Amino acid sequence: MKYPKIGIRPTIDGRWGGVRESLEEQTMNMAKTAKALIEKELRYADGTPVQCVIADTNIGGGAEAAKCAEKFSTENVVATLTVTPCWCYGSETMDLDPRTIKAVWGFNGTERPGAVYLAAVMAAYAQRGLPAFSIYGHDVQDAADTSVPADVKEKILRFARAAVAIGQMKDKAYVNIGGISMGIAGSDAQASFFQNYLGMRTEWVDMTEILRRMKLEIYDDKEFEVARAWAEKNCKEGLDINDDDSLQENIRRSKVVPYEEEWDFCVKHALICKDILFGNPVLAEKGWHEEALGRNGISGGFQGQRQWTDWLPNADFTEAILSSTFDWNGARAPIAFATENDTLNGTAMLFGTLITNRAPIFSDVRTYWSPESVERVTGHKLEGVAANGVIHLINSGASCLDGSGAALNENGEGCMKEFWNMTEGDIAACLEATDWRAANHQYFRGGGFSSHFITEAEMPITMIRVNIIDGVGPTLQIAEGHTAHIPQEVSKTLEDRTDTTWPTTWFAPRTGMKGFETVYDVMANWGANHGASVYGHVGADLITMASMLRIPVVMHNVEDVDVFRPHSFKGFGTKDLEGSDLRACSFYGPLYK
């Protein structure tokens, strides 16, 4: 992997003869402090620490700025953090590369006017049409204070986390296996969106490629044996709701893969989809050199319904396992892999996974259950985080097994973890919490298995959706809240009213803000039938990332004080942050356009 890096630019007062010399060590140390902070706290998707690179010298003017830019051009620097404790010459020291995402940390001290430089260079960036983030501590520090205040630390990490997420997407591919599923607009992959906003390529692979590779055995035979044995041991079968005798004869004839061969089929499907995205050198050893290369994927989706599932086992096993933080080989990075090839929800999954390094939950945003409706149907009065009602997140494909909330944190509470923190006990618990129910043959005539669990733990999560609006372009929706525990018998009654073969998460969004007046309003304002959820309240990080990509956030329940966008966005208005975001994103246009 070619890791995207954060370039750190220490800038300094250019006046030699006493002023600059007195600041050399302090300025460079500030850069080293920022580097140490980022590399300690942040990781890439594969678990390795994020890398930073520092300019060889402090930057006092244009010549040194050019040398820094030359160095960064060979280091895959995707974002720059300029740091300074003092006044510097704004337009002479600023990062002018239009390809890098920019931030400036000006030390809040009285001995030297770092804040004055920060204001001056922000004005320069705004005039040059180069959006940059302003980082400035709330409280004055002494000149000798080398600590990083909590508010500064938060902004530096938020900036770096979002920038590294963007860097990991660049030049990778979203791989569409199949096309549009059942008229779902999100399945219509817009190549221009991926190219202009995310810097990604779009790839298309017909679903018949899966059958070709099965027929010709273009997969790793040894890995298949391992995966199949693992599935037999760990994937326990659950309820079978089918009564095939009640189906009309042509529907019964549509199931062409015998029951006893379904698990073999489903496991091969998962192996092959993974190989299509990422390649597999073992295939070259078998003489399949083109297939061994893969598609340079970072995420993807499988159409399934209906041309596939009307006669072949569904892709639920593939979707659930690829999106989880583990498989038959043990713990590994989750893969954002979308049900029904909903590329826009796949993008939301990718955003959430890259920001958190945790597995994404793909769900139908199925039903709003008011407290009154729940009590009428079940006799139970909702309480706790669910007291104002819940949204039933349930997936007609399959969600990551991490979504069961069976992994435990240090306090013994259910959670979702980064793959490098998943213990064997956590993996076993997620598998134990999941049963694999026979696919509903009324929907999936070809059979297969759907992962089923009920999220019992109450966890902080953030639900995300990318939409494309004609006249606006791509937009982002964000809803922070909690998964809700509902008594088992009550949950079962509600589940049985839809399809009990699918995984269930009861979601209680945080309400009380505009657009989030009630849980009902969240459901009513959601832009599509799907949503992606990730562990933690990460709405502020997603807002920062979206502003870097120039994707306006049109719905969120993050407090204004936590919204961190480029400083020049304030020039488009400060009273209505949502409106200024829309105007700024429209003016600046896509990051890669």
Side-chain angles (χ1 to χ4, degrees):
M1 177 178 179
K2 186 180 180 183
Y3 294 110
K5 299 177 184 176
I6 305 295
I8 302 180
R9 309 174 68 256
T11 57
I12 197 167
D13 192 320
R15 287 172 285 199
W16 289 93
V19 175
R20 173 160 178 166
E21 291 91 333
S22 69
L23 294 164
E24 286 280 0
E25 185 177 359
Q26 181 186 4
T27 303
M28 185 57 73
N29 284 343
M30 200 171 166
K32 292 176 181 178
T33 297
K35 180 178 187 290
L37 170 67
I38 293 169
E39 293 184 341
K40 177 184 177 183
E41 297 291 336
L42 302 182
R43 297 199 191 191
Y44 297 112
D46 67 359
T48 60
V50 166
Q51 299 175 23
C52 298
V53 56
I54 301 177
D56 291 332
T57 66
N58 290 320
I59 300 167
E64 288 163 320
K67 290 179 181 178
C68 173
E70 183 179 1
K71 177 179 182 178
F72 286 1
S73 69
T74 65
E75 296 278 357
N76 195 29
V77 168
V78 297
T80 62
L81 173 63
T82 298
V83 303
T84 187
C86 61
W87 166 254
C88 315
Y89 305 152
S91 61
E92 297 179 21
T93 59
M94 64 194 291
D95 171 18
L96 286 173
D97 187 344
R99 296 165 297 182
T100 57
I101 304 165
K102 309 173 202 319
V104 181
W105 172 26
F107 183 79
N108 185 1
T110 55
E111 290 81 0
R112 298 284 183 177
V116 179
Y117 168 70
L118 182 62
V121 79
M122 284 298 125
Y125 276 123
Q127 289 186 30
R128 303 288 182 92
L130 299 171
F133 291 81
S134 174
I135 301 174
Y136 181 61
H138 183 273
D139 298 316
V140 172
Q141 295 178 258
D142 296 332
D145 186 354
T146 59
S147 66
V148 183
D151 60 331
V152 171
K153 177 180 177 180
E154 182 179 50
K155 288 182 177 178
I156 289 175
L157 293 178
R158 182 158 292 151
F159 168 80
R161 184 181 296 113
V164 166
I166 290 171
Q168 289 177 97
M169 289 188 286
K170 189 175 187 300
D171 296 327
K172 304 299 283 187
Y174 182 96
V175 182
N176 302 269
I177 302 179
I180 299 174
S181 174
M182 300 185 298
I184 295 172
S187 301
D188 184 6
Q190 303 290 305
S192 59
F193 160 67
F194 283 97
Q195 177 182 326
N196 295 335
Y197 284 91
L198 308 183
M200 289 174 58
R201 185 187 300 272
T202 41
E203 296 269 344
W204 284 267
V205 178
D206 194 283
M207 290 187 291
T208 57
E209 174 65 2
I210 306 288
L211 298 177
R212 184 182 76 94
R213 294 194 186 203
M214 285 188 183
K215 181 70 174 178
L216 300 180
E217 298 185 354
I218 308 174
Y219 52 84
D220 184 338
D221 307 85
K222 292 181 180 178
E223 185 177 13
F224 168 70
E225 294 300 327
V226 170
R228 182 66 185 90
W230 179 87
E232 185 171 0
K233 177 182 178 181
N234 295 288
C235 298
K236 59 188 179 189
E237 291 189 31
L239 180 69
D240 185 346
I241 66 170
N242 295 298
D243 177 15
D244 286 358
D245 290 339
S246 66
L247 300 176
Q248 62 190 58
E249 193 270 340
N250 64 325
I251 301 300
R252 292 197 303 273
R253 287 180 54 234
S254 297
K255 190 178 187 318
V256 299
V257 175
Y259 289 102
E260 63 273 15
E261 296 178 16
E262 281 188 308
W263 273 111
D264 285 357
F265 189 98
C266 291
V267 171
K268 289 176 184 178
H269 188 283
L271 290 174
I272 290 169
C273 286
K274 184 162 64 82
D275 288 349
I276 288 172
L277 262 67
F278 306 112
N280 188 341
V282 172
L283 304 185
E285 296 172 10
K286 299 179 70 173
W288 301 100
H289 299 282
E290 181 182 359
E291 291 82 354
L293 297 174
R295 298 279 179 156
N296 194 37
I298 189 173
S299 61
F302 186 78
Q303 175 193 328
Q305 298 186 77
R306 286 187 45 215
Q307 287 73 25
W308 181 275
T309 56
D310 273 5
W311 70 297
L312 295 168
N314 63 20
D316 289 14
F317 177 77
T318 297
E319 293 157 5
I321 290 299
L322 292 188
S323 295
S324 299
T325 55
F326 58 88
D327 60 18
W328 44 88
N329 293 317
R332 53 129 179 89
I335 302 161
F337 195 78
T339 298
E340 294 158 348
N341 192 35
D342 185 342
T343 62
L344 294 183
N345 212 51
T347 301
M349 295 169 75
L350 181 58
F351 286 179
T353 292
L354 291 176
I355 285 292
T356 66
N357 285 324
R358 291 174 167 89
I361 303 172
F362 184 110
S363 301
D364 283 357
V365 184
R366 180 61 67 107
T367 310
Y368 162 64
W369 279 99
S370 68
E372 295 79 13
S373 295
V374 172
E375 191 166 6
R376 176 181 62 82
V377 171
T378 69
H380 175 74
K381 186 176 180 61
L382 293 175
E383 55 188 11
V385 298
N388 296 319
V390 291
I391 295 174
H392 193 181
L393 302 182
I394 184 169
N395 187 9
S396 56
S399 296
C400 64
L401 273 58
D402 302 69
S404 64
L408 299 178
N409 63 20
E410 62 275 9
N411 298 319
E413 301 162 331
C415 67
M416 297 171 67
K417 298 180 178 180
E418 304 93 338
F419 81 88
W420 57 84
N421 286 323
M422 288 290 285
T423 66
E424 290 185 7
D426 290 327
I427 294 172
C430 290
L431 289 165
E432 180 61 29
T434 306
D435 62 292
W436 297 84
R437 301 192 170 184
N440 185 337
H441 293 170
Q442 292 184 17
Y443 291 121
F444 304 113
R445 301 171 185 177
F449 300 93
S450 296
S451 64
H452 170 265
F453 57 76
I454 301 173
T455 306
E456 297 282 357
E458 291 193 348
M459 306 183 293
I461 65 170
T462 302
M463 188 165 72
I464 316 162
R465 174 68 194 186
V466 175
N467 298 296
I468 293 180
I469 311 298
D470 187 33
V472 179
T475 63
L476 191 66
Q477 293 180 304
I478 298 166
E480 294 184 343
H482 287 82
T483 60
H485 171 71
I486 295 177
Q488 187 174 12
E489 65 277 8
V490 177
S491 182
K492 184 179 186 308
T493 298
L494 302 180
E495 271 194 293
D496 286 347
R497 292 173 67 98
T498 175
D499 193 307
T500 192
T501 66
W502 302 331
T504 279
T505 299
W506 301 107
F507 176 51
R510 188 172 64 246
T511 57
M513 298 179 68
K514 186 69 174 176
F516 288 78
E517 289 84 355
T518 67
V519 177
Y520 172 84
D521 291 303
V522 178
M523 178 80 178
N525 291 330
W526 205 246
N529 56 306
H530 291 151
S533 303
V534 289
Y535 184 82
H537 289 159
V538 295
D541 293 320
L542 290 163
I543 288 171
T544 294
M545 184 174 74
S547 69
M548 294 174 174
L549 297 169
R550 319 289 190 256
I551 297 176
V553 180
V554 297
M555 175 185 175
H556 71 82
N557 57 350
V558 176
E559 296 290 343
D560 285 355
V561 68
D562 294 319
V563 172
F564 186 42
R565 293 186 174 111
H567 190 267
S568 61
F569 279 38
K570 300 178 189 297
F572 294 84
T574 56
K575 286 188 176 181
D576 175 12
L577 296 185
E578 194 172 283
S580 65
D581 183 34
L582 278 160
R583 291 187 290 273
C585 289
S586 175
F587 173 77
Y588 288 118
L591 179 61
Y592 299 104
K593 183 67 172 175

